[in-house]
Amino acid sequence: MSEASPLNRRTFLSGASIAATALALGPGGRASAADTPRSASAASSSDAAQGVDLHWLDGRPAATTGTAWGVPWPQGKVAADTRFALQDDDNDQVPVQSWPLAYWPDGTLKWTGHAVSSTALADGCHLAPGTPAAPKQPVTAKRSGDEIRLANGVVDIRIARGGPVAIRSIARGGRATAHDGRLILMLQDGPEDTANPRHTAWSGVVEEAEIEQSGPVRAVVRLTGRYRKDSSSRHGSGSRAILPWTLRVYLGAGDESLRVMHQFVWDGKASSDFIRGLGLQLSVPMSDQPYNRHIRFAGPDKGVWSEAVLGLTGLRRDPGEAVRSAQIAGTETPPVSEWASTVQAGWKDLPQWGDFSLVQHSATQCAVWKRTSRKAAWLKHAGFADRAPGFGYVGGVSGGLGFGLRDFWQQFPRAFDIRDAAKDTATVTLWSWSPHAEPMDLRAYDEASHGLDLAYEDDRYGFGMSTGMARSTDMQLWALDSTPSRDDVATLATTLARPQLVADPKTYHGVDVFGRWSLPDRSTPARKQLEDSIAGSVEFYTEQVKQRQWYGFWDYGDIMHTYDSDRHTWRYDVGGFAWDNAELGSDAALWYQFLRTGDPQTFHLARAMTRHVTETDTIHTGPFAGLGSRHDVQHFADGGKEPRVSEAYTKRFMYYLTADEFVGDAMRVPLKLDSTLLKYPPLRDYLDAPAGVPTVIRLGPDWYALVSNWLTEWERTGDNKWRDRIVTGMRDIAKLPAGLFTGQQGGAVGYDPATGHISDLKLGGDWGKVNLSMVFCGEQIMWETTDLIDVPEFRAKLVEFCRYVQAPASEITDHFGFKFSTGAPGVFYSRMTAWAGEQTKEPAVQQRGWDTFRNDGGGKAWPDPVHVDGSAVFSKVDELPQADFGTNGVAQNILATIALLAVAPDQAP
């Protein structure tokens, strides 16, 4: 509560002085290059405009299926219509396809996306403005009647523009490899323990089709539709339409494989729609003799499971070494006339194995099954392993279909089913959700809410519902002209690990993207400790993912929130202490650490987390469309649906670094909030909108999250309506009596989604109860936005907020004319304090940021994990000795350290 009226002369004059300081700063509000530690970055930015060196994140792969990536460019250096050329380490030109991802305010390129085909395999390469080399076998995408045709000189693909068959055919050299590719769904009307549940079959019906890219290096076709129930005579003919889906098909120049990426949004009835199976099914012609037909599955550690439909090894009579060797190798056997006479006479009496399955039951156990037909029993001991990489093959010596599922074991339950391989046409199903597992259950874990005080759970009005979640499956299909060798199977399986091209940290740092962050600094013992603490955090979570088995269809990519040292486990069953859902910026912390180090381990953690957050934790449709689900026992279980979870800012890292179209789609989901917030305002339980005010939001984290969505859409499209919406809010906030210190109910203000206007609710009350207002990357959102949009009066309010959010009471009183307490957590707001000192050229305030950080326990040395085994635990584990260890603190420590080293490097210990 303020102890004096905020509307006094001292406040006005002090605010004016802050504004003058802001106006004195250089372009975009920065200090001059001579005064700021970022001058080194500015110098390297001009070099970046000359081109960018790229390398493989995990080292040069043995093979790829093509890859895409993003590159940043300095402001004002690269025109929007610039073309790009790629040259490998041997100075050979590599065909590359390029497109814009984002623009600077002046219209120059900020981020570009690029793609190469599977032929690009040099150790490194250099991308620069220039004329791209033409591929020898360019890919084309053309509409032809009711279908889209993709061709690249190796394979031809026909994609339907409507109907229940999405991929009509895949052919190579005039021979059909596969046809009738159909998205399939199996539902049952009750959970596993329901007596006699009713099963129904559904097909994904294509409703729209568009060509997103038409070559020459990569073609992309986007299909959308919904699932409809099958009838006895027609697929997908039912009247009910559920689970809206998107399917993208990618084909590269000269490639023998196509990528198929599928994502569905859950809009079923959790009480009666239980997914029994979800997958892509294709038909594969089988023309070779049964002994020349082969089934192959990749196993862990380059292992291969390989058998023929009709086996000629292990028989009582030997057909001959040449026959056995050929079948094991997958090559054509000698003619039957050259076999041993006893085998010539009797081989047709041998069993023909028509059905095969590779089933990934969990993250640590998979099995191969086989049987002769549906009328016979399974042999479920054909093969066992822990983690299958997700590659298979069905066909013969004259060719067949290779197929792969990325994150096969990580997103269990997965499976491959091959049926009727002994007949003229085999059927292959790539199961995103395996029908060999229990059906998917998306009901809440309890019928009651458990409260914030004890369980830290916000289950308002039963809002903890699963409606609107999404999940994707990344598949690859190969049109192969022969049975792949065992070594080739192992190599093809490695391509499912997504080989990725990236630039080095100095390149990313040199072009001023993603706000304010630092490169690693180990120049003093204290700074080395800070860096070791960040690296230790990443290493600890990497090992916890493995040890605690944080895998599964919906769970993979997330980590847990808080630890329970009494039970020696994370609080997986205690309300809001369970899954993290990127609370307090754990995703951003990982991405910033990758940007500054280039560490592959950090990249993989971050990418999996962003995929998870944009799908499982983001609400794509339904009543809460555009919001995200707060952390809980189940990812969707918490009633707190928040803009901060779905905000585009923390998703930009993955989108711009990988040019991933599905993340690009997800960043537009929160643009739906303009309508959602009218019905479900963040403070709906605490504060009703006064008459004439459309809805109520908080400045932080709500408005900051909205700004990040508008900023992202503005830079992606160049449409100034999004910029203008930000400017409107900035100008309105600058007029608020308390500015960014508006503290009623955590910063409550009126908001009009139709115009973007912010209004003062005139509630009175406390100034400055900031709590978590800026800690969901709010400061980075504001720093980056104010550098791009020049609204001096708002920048003055931002500098003022950061300058006094952790200031001593005497300074607050001297500045405002009264005192108030912000309650700003030390580590959380230390970087805001230091930034303000940089902006106002007050080294003492920059030092205060560091002092506040360290006095609150920031940057402590990472303790050695403690090993726990024996009767205290179910299985041996490693844990940290602190009883209250949690991801919130880790994320904020990392974010604060990285930012402090950027905005107050001279004051670093």
Side-chain angles (χ1 to χ4, degrees), residues 56 61 63-68 116-119 121 218 250-252 255 257-259 406 474-478 492 494-496 498-499:
W56 294 101
T64 80
T65 56
T67 191
V116 292
S117 70
S118 62
T119 59
L121 278 174
R218 185 177 78 157
Y250 303 77
L251 181 65
D255 288 350
S257 72
L258 57 146
R259 182 188 182 199
R406 292 182 171 87
D474 194 349
M475 298 168 275
Q476 199 78 23
L477 302 174
W478 285 262
L492 290 172
T494 66
T495 67
L496 298 174
R498 300 186 194 90

PDB file of all heavy atoms in Angstrom, residues 56 61 63-68 116-119 121 218 250-252 255 257-259 406 474-478 492 494-496 498-499:
ATOM      1  N   TRP A  56      27.409 -29.529 -38.632  1.00  0.00           N
ATOM      2  CA  TRP A  56      26.432 -30.489 -38.118  1.00  0.00           C
ATOM      3  C   TRP A  56      26.484 -30.492 -36.590  1.00  0.00           C
ATOM      4  O   TRP A  56      27.559 -30.585 -35.999  1.00  0.00           O
ATOM      5  CB  TRP A  56      26.704 -31.887 -38.650  1.00  0.00           C
ATOM      6  CG  TRP A  56      26.508 -32.000 -40.130  1.00  0.00           C
ATOM      7  CD1 TRP A  56      27.484 -32.003 -41.083  1.00  0.00           C
ATOM      8  CD2 TRP A  56      25.262 -32.095 -40.818  1.00  0.00           C
ATOM      9  NE1 TRP A  56      26.918 -32.106 -42.332  1.00  0.00           N
ATOM     10  CE2 TRP A  56      25.552 -32.168 -42.199  1.00  0.00           C
ATOM     11  CE3 TRP A  56      23.929 -32.137 -40.411  1.00  0.00           C
ATOM     12  CZ2 TRP A  56      24.561 -32.277 -43.173  1.00  0.00           C
ATOM     13  CZ3 TRP A  56      22.935 -32.251 -41.376  1.00  0.00           C
ATOM     14  CH2 TRP A  56      23.250 -32.322 -42.734  1.00  0.00           C
ATOM     15  N   PRO A  61      26.884 -36.665 -40.200  1.00  0.00           N
ATOM     16  CA  PRO A  61      26.152 -37.941 -40.178  1.00  0.00           C
ATOM     17  C   PRO A  61      26.568 -38.833 -41.332  1.00  0.00           C
ATOM     18  O   PRO A  61      27.080 -38.361 -42.362  1.00  0.00           O
ATOM     19  CB  PRO A  61      24.699 -37.492 -40.321  1.00  0.00           C
ATOM     20  CG  PRO A  61      24.786 -36.233 -41.139  1.00  0.00           C
ATOM     21  CD  PRO A  61      26.064 -35.558 -40.702  1.00  0.00           C
ATOM     22  N   ALA A  63      24.390 -40.427 -43.065  1.00  0.00           N
ATOM     23  CA  ALA A  63      23.348 -40.194 -44.060  1.00  0.00           C
ATOM     24  C   ALA A  63      22.313 -39.271 -43.450  1.00  0.00           C
ATOM     25  O   ALA A  63      22.191 -39.164 -42.224  1.00  0.00           O
ATOM     26  CB  ALA A  63      22.705 -41.510 -44.498  1.00  0.00           C
ATOM     27  N   THR A  64      21.568 -38.606 -44.317  1.00  0.00           N
ATOM     28  CA  THR A  64      20.442 -37.795 -43.848  1.00  0.00           C
ATOM     29  C   THR A  64      19.263 -38.008 -44.794  1.00  0.00           C
ATOM     30  O   THR A  64      19.403 -38.612 -45.864  1.00  0.00           O
ATOM     31  CB  THR A  64      20.765 -36.288 -43.815  1.00  0.00           C
ATOM     32  OG1 THR A  64      20.651 -35.734 -45.114  1.00  0.00           O
ATOM     33  CG2 THR A  64      22.145 -36.020 -43.258  1.00  0.00           C
ATOM     34  N   THR A  65      18.133 -37.490 -44.405  1.00  0.00           N
ATOM     35  CA  THR A  65      16.981 -37.448 -45.301  1.00  0.00           C
ATOM     36  C   THR A  65      16.733 -36.002 -45.734  1.00  0.00           C
ATOM     37  O   THR A  65      15.623 -35.636 -46.114  1.00  0.00           O
ATOM     38  CB  THR A  65      15.733 -38.014 -44.606  1.00  0.00           C
ATOM     39  OG1 THR A  65      15.509 -37.292 -43.384  1.00  0.00           O
ATOM     40  CG2 THR A  65      15.904 -39.479 -44.296  1.00  0.00           C
ATOM     41  N   GLY A  66      17.777 -35.182 -45.663  1.00  0.00           N
ATOM     42  CA  GLY A  66      17.634 -33.757 -45.889  1.00  0.00           C
ATOM     43  C   GLY A  66      17.434 -33.047 -44.568  1.00  0.00           C
ATOM     44  O   GLY A  66      17.090 -33.665 -43.554  1.00  0.00           O
ATOM     45  N   THR A  67      17.656 -31.759 -44.559  1.00  0.00           N
ATOM     46  CA  THR A  67      17.490 -31.021 -43.309  1.00  0.00           C
ATOM     47  C   THR A  67      17.128 -29.577 -43.616  1.00  0.00           C
ATOM     48  O   THR A  67      17.354 -29.082 -44.727  1.00  0.00           O
ATOM     49  CB  THR A  67      18.771 -31.073 -42.455  1.00  0.00           C
ATOM     50  OG1 THR A  67      18.505 -30.562 -41.150  1.00  0.00           O
ATOM     51  CG2 THR A  67      19.893 -30.269 -43.069  1.00  0.00           C
ATOM     52  N   ALA A  68      16.558 -28.920 -42.609  1.00  0.00           N
ATOM     53  CA  ALA A  68      16.221 -27.498 -42.714  1.00  0.00           C
ATOM     54  C   ALA A  68      16.757 -26.792 -41.485  1.00  0.00           C
ATOM     55  O   ALA A  68      16.865 -27.388 -40.413  1.00  0.00           O
ATOM     56  CB  ALA A  68      14.715 -27.308 -42.849  1.00  0.00           C
ATOM     57  N   VAL A 116      18.225 -28.349 -47.559  1.00  0.00           N
ATOM     58  CA  VAL A 116      19.027 -29.118 -48.513  1.00  0.00           C
ATOM     59  C   VAL A 116      18.482 -30.539 -48.540  1.00  0.00           C
ATOM     60  O   VAL A 116      17.783 -30.975 -47.626  1.00  0.00           O
ATOM     61  CB  VAL A 116      20.526 -29.132 -48.126  1.00  0.00           C
ATOM     62  CG1 VAL A 116      21.131 -27.754 -48.274  1.00  0.00           C
ATOM     63  CG2 VAL A 116      20.718 -29.664 -46.710  1.00  0.00           C
ATOM     64  N   SER A 117      18.811 -31.236 -49.580  1.00  0.00           N
ATOM     65  CA  SER A 117      18.358 -32.621 -49.709  1.00  0.00           C
ATOM     66  C   SER A 117      19.364 -33.561 -49.059  1.00  0.00           C
ATOM     67  O   SER A 117      20.363 -33.131 -48.466  1.00  0.00           O
ATOM     68  CB  SER A 117      18.175 -32.974 -51.184  1.00  0.00           C
ATOM     69  OG  SER A 117      19.434 -33.055 -51.831  1.00  0.00           O
ATOM     70  N   SER A 118      19.130 -34.844 -49.216  1.00  0.00           N
ATOM     71  CA  SER A 118      19.985 -35.852 -48.580  1.00  0.00           C
ATOM     72  C   SER A 118      21.380 -35.921 -49.180  1.00  0.00           C
ATOM     73  O   SER A 118      22.267 -36.573 -48.616  1.00  0.00           O
ATOM     74  CB  SER A 118      19.327 -37.231 -48.677  1.00  0.00           C
ATOM     75  OG  SER A 118      19.179 -37.605 -50.041  1.00  0.00           O
ATOM     76  N   THR A 119      21.609 -35.256 -50.299  1.00  0.00           N
ATOM     77  CA  THR A 119      22.931 -35.312 -50.941  1.00  0.00           C
ATOM     78  C   THR A 119      23.949 -34.407 -50.260  1.00  0.00           C
ATOM     79  O   THR A 119      25.146 -34.521 -50.536  1.00  0.00           O
ATOM     80  CB  THR A 119      22.818 -34.908 -52.420  1.00  0.00           C
ATOM     81  OG1 THR A 119      22.277 -33.577 -52.510  1.00  0.00           O
ATOM     82  CG2 THR A 119      21.895 -35.870 -53.164  1.00  0.00           C
ATOM     83  N   LEU A 121      26.245 -33.631 -47.571  1.00  0.00           N
ATOM     84  CA  LEU A 121      26.843 -34.400 -46.476  1.00  0.00           C
ATOM     85  C   LEU A 121      28.262 -33.966 -46.130  1.00  0.00           C
ATOM     86  O   LEU A 121      28.990 -34.721 -45.479  1.00  0.00           O
ATOM     87  CB  LEU A 121      26.855 -35.892 -46.826  1.00  0.00           C
ATOM     88  CG  LEU A 121      25.552 -36.652 -46.576  1.00  0.00           C
ATOM     89  CD1 LEU A 121      25.659 -38.068 -47.104  1.00  0.00           C
ATOM     90  CD2 LEU A 121      25.217 -36.680 -45.093  1.00  0.00           C
ATOM     91  N   ARG A 218      13.292 -28.443 -52.314  1.00  0.00           N
ATOM     92  CA  ARG A 218      12.346 -29.095 -51.417  1.00  0.00           C
ATOM     93  C   ARG A 218      10.928 -28.678 -51.771  1.00  0.00           C
ATOM     94  O   ARG A 218      10.661 -27.511 -52.041  1.00  0.00           O
ATOM     95  CB  ARG A 218      12.634 -28.726 -49.958  1.00  0.00           C
ATOM     96  CG  ARG A 218      11.750 -29.470 -48.971  1.00  0.00           C
ATOM     97  CD  ARG A 218      12.085 -29.147 -47.529  1.00  0.00           C
ATOM     98  NE  ARG A 218      11.553 -27.864 -47.103  1.00  0.00           N
ATOM     99  CZ  ARG A 218      11.309 -27.546 -45.827  1.00  0.00           C
ATOM    100  NH1 ARG A 218      11.574 -28.421 -44.869  1.00  0.00           N
ATOM    101  NH2 ARG A 218      10.830 -26.367 -45.509  1.00  0.00           N
ATOM    102  N   TYR A 250       6.953 -33.826 -47.258  1.00  0.00           N
ATOM    103  CA  TYR A 250       8.167 -33.154 -47.713  1.00  0.00           C
ATOM    104  C   TYR A 250       8.917 -34.082 -48.666  1.00  0.00           C
ATOM    105  O   TYR A 250       9.110 -35.268 -48.377  1.00  0.00           O
ATOM    106  CB  TYR A 250       9.093 -32.838 -46.543  1.00  0.00           C
ATOM    107  CG  TYR A 250       8.523 -32.002 -45.428  1.00  0.00           C
ATOM    108  CD1 TYR A 250       7.656 -32.550 -44.482  1.00  0.00           C
ATOM    109  CD2 TYR A 250       8.869 -30.668 -45.280  1.00  0.00           C
ATOM    110  CE1 TYR A 250       7.147 -31.794 -43.427  1.00  0.00           C
ATOM    111  CE2 TYR A 250       8.378 -29.890 -44.232  1.00  0.00           C
ATOM    112  CZ  TYR A 250       7.520 -30.470 -43.311  1.00  0.00           C
ATOM    113  OH  TYR A 250       7.028 -29.717 -42.274  1.00  0.00           O
ATOM    114  N   LEU A 251       9.373 -33.527 -49.790  1.00  0.00           N
ATOM    115  CA  LEU A 251      10.204 -34.295 -50.709  1.00  0.00           C
ATOM    116  C   LEU A 251      11.350 -33.417 -51.185  1.00  0.00           C
ATOM    117  O   LEU A 251      11.144 -32.279 -51.601  1.00  0.00           O
ATOM    118  CB  LEU A 251       9.392 -34.783 -51.916  1.00  0.00           C
ATOM    119  CG  LEU A 251      10.170 -35.623 -52.939  1.00  0.00           C
ATOM    120  CD1 LEU A 251      10.641 -36.939 -52.321  1.00  0.00           C
ATOM    121  CD2 LEU A 251       9.317 -35.891 -54.183  1.00  0.00           C
ATOM    122  N   GLY A 252      12.574 -33.965 -51.126  1.00  0.00           N
ATOM    123  CA  GLY A 252      13.756 -33.230 -51.540  1.00  0.00           C
ATOM    124  C   GLY A 252      14.246 -33.650 -52.914  1.00  0.00           C
ATOM    125  O   GLY A 252      13.923 -34.740 -53.411  1.00  0.00           O
ATOM    126  N   ASP A 255      15.927 -37.191 -53.706  1.00  0.00           N
ATOM    127  CA  ASP A 255      15.801 -38.082 -52.552  1.00  0.00           C
ATOM    128  C   ASP A 255      14.959 -39.310 -52.889  1.00  0.00           C
ATOM    129  O   ASP A 255      14.026 -39.247 -53.703  1.00  0.00           O
ATOM    130  CB  ASP A 255      15.145 -37.358 -51.372  1.00  0.00           C
ATOM    131  CG  ASP A 255      16.072 -36.343 -50.730  1.00  0.00           C
ATOM    132  OD1 ASP A 255      17.269 -36.336 -51.078  1.00  0.00           O
ATOM    133  OD2 ASP A 255      15.591 -35.557 -49.899  1.00  0.00           O
ATOM    134  N   SER A 257      13.377 -40.782 -50.364  1.00  0.00           N
ATOM    135  CA  SER A 257      12.443 -40.858 -49.247  1.00  0.00           C
ATOM    136  C   SER A 257      11.667 -39.562 -49.114  1.00  0.00           C
ATOM    137  O   SER A 257      12.109 -38.501 -49.585  1.00  0.00           O
ATOM    138  CB  SER A 257      13.175 -41.156 -47.935  1.00  0.00           C
ATOM    139  OG  SER A 257      13.918 -40.038 -47.505  1.00  0.00           O
ATOM    140  N   LEU A 258      10.517 -39.629 -48.489  1.00  0.00           N
ATOM    141  CA  LEU A 258       9.701 -38.465 -48.204  1.00  0.00           C
ATOM    142  C   LEU A 258       9.411 -38.430 -46.717  1.00  0.00           C
ATOM    143  O   LEU A 258       9.269 -39.470 -46.062  1.00  0.00           O
ATOM    144  CB  LEU A 258       8.382 -38.501 -48.982  1.00  0.00           C
ATOM    145  CG  LEU A 258       7.476 -39.728 -48.789  1.00  0.00           C
ATOM    146  CD1 LEU A 258       6.011 -39.312 -48.863  1.00  0.00           C
ATOM    147  CD2 LEU A 258       7.775 -40.764 -49.877  1.00  0.00           C
ATOM    148  N   ARG A 259       9.370 -37.215 -46.183  1.00  0.00           N
ATOM    149  CA  ARG A 259       9.017 -37.032 -44.782  1.00  0.00           C
ATOM    150  C   ARG A 259       7.519 -36.781 -44.695  1.00  0.00           C
ATOM    151  O   ARG A 259       6.945 -36.036 -45.491  1.00  0.00           O
ATOM    152  CB  ARG A 259       9.786 -35.853 -44.196  1.00  0.00           C
ATOM    153  CG  ARG A 259       9.519 -35.603 -42.714  1.00  0.00           C
ATOM    154  CD  ARG A 259      10.146 -34.312 -42.259  1.00  0.00           C
ATOM    155  NE  ARG A 259       9.956 -34.057 -40.842  1.00  0.00           N
ATOM    156  CZ  ARG A 259      10.087 -32.856 -40.278  1.00  0.00           C
ATOM    157  NH1 ARG A 259      10.411 -31.806 -41.018  1.00  0.00           N
ATOM    158  NH2 ARG A 259       9.896 -32.698 -38.997  1.00  0.00           N
ATOM    159  N   ARG A 406      10.173 -41.248 -36.006  1.00  0.00           N
ATOM    160  CA  ARG A 406      11.120 -40.588 -35.122  1.00  0.00           C
ATOM    161  C   ARG A 406      10.601 -40.604 -33.681  1.00  0.00           C
ATOM    162  O   ARG A 406       9.405 -40.654 -33.447  1.00  0.00           O
ATOM    163  CB  ARG A 406      11.380 -39.163 -35.607  1.00  0.00           C
ATOM    164  CG  ARG A 406      12.130 -39.137 -36.931  1.00  0.00           C
ATOM    165  CD  ARG A 406      12.441 -37.739 -37.419  1.00  0.00           C
ATOM    166  NE  ARG A 406      13.350 -37.807 -38.572  1.00  0.00           N
ATOM    167  CZ  ARG A 406      12.950 -37.937 -39.822  1.00  0.00           C
ATOM    168  NH1 ARG A 406      11.654 -37.996 -40.104  1.00  0.00           N
ATOM    169  NH2 ARG A 406      13.826 -38.000 -40.813  1.00  0.00           N
ATOM    170  N   ASP A 474       6.406 -37.786 -36.435  1.00  0.00           N
ATOM    171  CA  ASP A 474       7.319 -37.477 -37.531  1.00  0.00           C
ATOM    172  C   ASP A 474       7.742 -38.787 -38.187  1.00  0.00           C
ATOM    173  O   ASP A 474       8.397 -39.626 -37.564  1.00  0.00           O
ATOM    174  CB  ASP A 474       8.533 -36.735 -36.971  1.00  0.00           C
ATOM    175  CG  ASP A 474       9.366 -36.067 -38.053  1.00  0.00           C
ATOM    176  OD1 ASP A 474       9.136 -36.348 -39.244  1.00  0.00           O
ATOM    177  OD2 ASP A 474      10.257 -35.274 -37.698  1.00  0.00           O
ATOM    178  N   MET A 475       7.356 -38.969 -39.455  1.00  0.00           N
ATOM    179  CA  MET A 475       7.582 -40.236 -40.155  1.00  0.00           C
ATOM    180  C   MET A 475       8.432 -40.029 -41.404  1.00  0.00           C
ATOM    181  O   MET A 475       8.491 -38.932 -41.947  1.00  0.00           O
ATOM    182  CB  MET A 475       6.235 -40.861 -40.551  1.00  0.00           C
ATOM    183  CG  MET A 475       5.344 -41.195 -39.374  1.00  0.00           C
ATOM    184  SD  MET A 475       3.630 -41.614 -39.834  1.00  0.00           S
ATOM    185  CE  MET A 475       2.900 -39.978 -39.916  1.00  0.00           C
ATOM    186  N   GLN A 476       9.052 -41.100 -41.843  1.00  0.00           N
ATOM    187  CA  GLN A 476       9.827 -41.093 -43.080  1.00  0.00           C
ATOM    188  C   GLN A 476       9.480 -42.340 -43.866  1.00  0.00           C
ATOM    189  O   GLN A 476       9.390 -43.446 -43.293  1.00  0.00           O
ATOM    190  CB  GLN A 476      11.330 -41.054 -42.778  1.00  0.00           C
ATOM    191  CG  GLN A 476      12.192 -40.585 -43.930  1.00  0.00           C
ATOM    192  CD  GLN A 476      12.176 -39.074 -44.104  1.00  0.00           C
ATOM    193  OE1 GLN A 476      11.889 -38.326 -43.180  1.00  0.00           O
ATOM    194  NE2 GLN A 476      12.496 -38.604 -45.296  1.00  0.00           N
ATOM    195  N   LEU A 477       9.291 -42.206 -45.181  1.00  0.00           N
ATOM    196  CA  LEU A 477       8.979 -43.338 -46.048  1.00  0.00           C
ATOM    197  C   LEU A 477       9.995 -43.391 -47.183  1.00  0.00           C
ATOM    198  O   LEU A 477      10.212 -42.380 -47.873  1.00  0.00           O
ATOM    199  CB  LEU A 477       7.570 -43.194 -46.632  1.00  0.00           C
ATOM    200  CG  LEU A 477       6.424 -43.075 -45.621  1.00  0.00           C
ATOM    201  CD1 LEU A 477       5.114 -42.793 -46.349  1.00  0.00           C
ATOM    202  CD2 LEU A 477       6.302 -44.328 -44.763  1.00  0.00           C
ATOM    203  N   TRP A 478      10.614 -44.555 -47.377  1.00  0.00           N
ATOM    204  CA  TRP A 478      11.612 -44.738 -48.424  1.00  0.00           C
ATOM    205  C   TRP A 478      11.062 -45.622 -49.537  1.00  0.00           C
ATOM    206  O   TRP A 478      10.519 -46.713 -49.256  1.00  0.00           O
ATOM    207  CB  TRP A 478      12.865 -45.422 -47.877  1.00  0.00           C
ATOM    208  CG  TRP A 478      13.779 -44.592 -47.056  1.00  0.00           C
ATOM    209  CD1 TRP A 478      14.922 -43.970 -47.472  1.00  0.00           C
ATOM    210  CD2 TRP A 478      13.678 -44.303 -45.646  1.00  0.00           C
ATOM    211  NE1 TRP A 478      15.527 -43.328 -46.428  1.00  0.00           N
ATOM    212  CE2 TRP A 478      14.785 -43.515 -45.286  1.00  0.00           C
ATOM    213  CE3 TRP A 478      12.761 -44.649 -44.655  1.00  0.00           C
ATOM    214  CZ2 TRP A 478      15.006 -43.058 -43.995  1.00  0.00           C
ATOM    215  CZ3 TRP A 478      12.960 -44.192 -43.364  1.00  0.00           C
ATOM    216  CH2 TRP A 478      14.075 -43.406 -43.045  1.00  0.00           C
ATOM    217  N   LEU A 492      20.256 -46.117 -42.224  1.00  0.00           N
ATOM    218  CA  LEU A 492      18.991 -45.420 -42.422  1.00  0.00           C
ATOM    219  C   LEU A 492      18.333 -45.077 -41.095  1.00  0.00           C
ATOM    220  O   LEU A 492      17.703 -44.024 -40.947  1.00  0.00           O
ATOM    221  CB  LEU A 492      18.056 -46.266 -43.281  1.00  0.00           C
ATOM    222  CG  LEU A 492      18.455 -46.416 -44.751  1.00  0.00           C
ATOM    223  CD1 LEU A 492      17.573 -47.439 -45.454  1.00  0.00           C
ATOM    224  CD2 LEU A 492      18.385 -45.083 -45.475  1.00  0.00           C
ATOM    225  N   THR A 494      19.778 -44.189 -38.430  1.00  0.00           N
ATOM    226  CA  THR A 494      20.413 -43.011 -37.820  1.00  0.00           C
ATOM    227  C   THR A 494      19.830 -41.710 -38.347  1.00  0.00           C
ATOM    228  O   THR A 494      19.888 -40.680 -37.668  1.00  0.00           O
ATOM    229  CB  THR A 494      21.934 -43.005 -38.060  1.00  0.00           C
ATOM    230  OG1 THR A 494      22.208 -42.848 -39.467  1.00  0.00           O
ATOM    231  CG2 THR A 494      22.580 -44.287 -37.558  1.00  0.00           C
ATOM    232  N   THR A 495      19.275 -41.730 -39.567  1.00  0.00           N
ATOM    233  CA  THR A 495      18.703 -40.501 -40.113  1.00  0.00           C
ATOM    234  C   THR A 495      17.460 -40.072 -39.340  1.00  0.00           C
ATOM    235  O   THR A 495      17.042 -38.909 -39.419  1.00  0.00           O
ATOM    236  CB  THR A 495      18.320 -40.669 -41.595  1.00  0.00           C
ATOM    237  OG1 THR A 495      17.235 -41.604 -41.718  1.00  0.00           O
ATOM    238  CG2 THR A 495      19.510 -41.161 -42.404  1.00  0.00           C
ATOM    239  N   LEU A 496      16.861 -40.977 -38.594  1.00  0.00           N
ATOM    240  CA  LEU A 496      15.676 -40.636 -37.804  1.00  0.00           C
ATOM    241  C   LEU A 496      16.030 -39.777 -36.603  1.00  0.00           C
ATOM    242  O   LEU A 496      15.138 -39.231 -35.935  1.00  0.00           O
ATOM    243  CB  LEU A 496      14.969 -41.915 -37.349  1.00  0.00           C
ATOM    244  CG  LEU A 496      14.447 -42.804 -38.479  1.00  0.00           C
ATOM    245  CD1 LEU A 496      13.892 -44.108 -37.910  1.00  0.00           C
ATOM    246  CD2 LEU A 496      13.381 -42.086 -39.296  1.00  0.00           C
ATOM    247  N   ARG A 498      17.369 -36.957 -36.773  1.00  0.00           N
ATOM    248  CA  ARG A 498      17.281 -35.567 -37.234  1.00  0.00           C
ATOM    249  C   ARG A 498      18.639 -34.860 -37.260  1.00  0.00           C
ATOM    250  O   ARG A 498      18.871 -33.940 -36.474  1.00  0.00           O
ATOM    251  CB  ARG A 498      16.347 -34.737 -36.356  1.00  0.00           C
ATOM    252  CG  ARG A 498      14.925 -35.189 -36.258  1.00  0.00           C
ATOM    253  CD  ARG A 498      14.133 -34.160 -35.468  1.00  0.00           C
ATOM    254  NE  ARG A 498      12.842 -34.657 -35.051  1.00  0.00           N
ATOM    255  CZ  ARG A 498      12.638 -35.295 -33.898  1.00  0.00           C
ATOM    256  NH1 ARG A 498      13.641 -35.507 -33.087  1.00  0.00           N
ATOM    257  NH2 ARG A 498      11.441 -35.707 -33.580  1.00  0.00           N
ATOM    258  N   PRO A 499      19.570 -35.252 -38.094  1.00  0.00           N
ATOM    259  CA  PRO A 499      20.802 -34.469 -38.228  1.00  0.00           C
ATOM    260  C   PRO A 499      20.466 -33.008 -38.501  1.00  0.00           C
ATOM    261  O   PRO A 499      19.608 -32.701 -39.326  1.00  0.00           O
ATOM    262  CB  PRO A 499      21.509 -35.134 -39.415  1.00  0.00           C
ATOM    263  CG  PRO A 499      20.988 -36.550 -39.406  1.00  0.00           C
ATOM    264  CD  PRO A 499      19.558 -36.426 -38.987  1.00  0.00           C
TER     265      PRO A 499
END
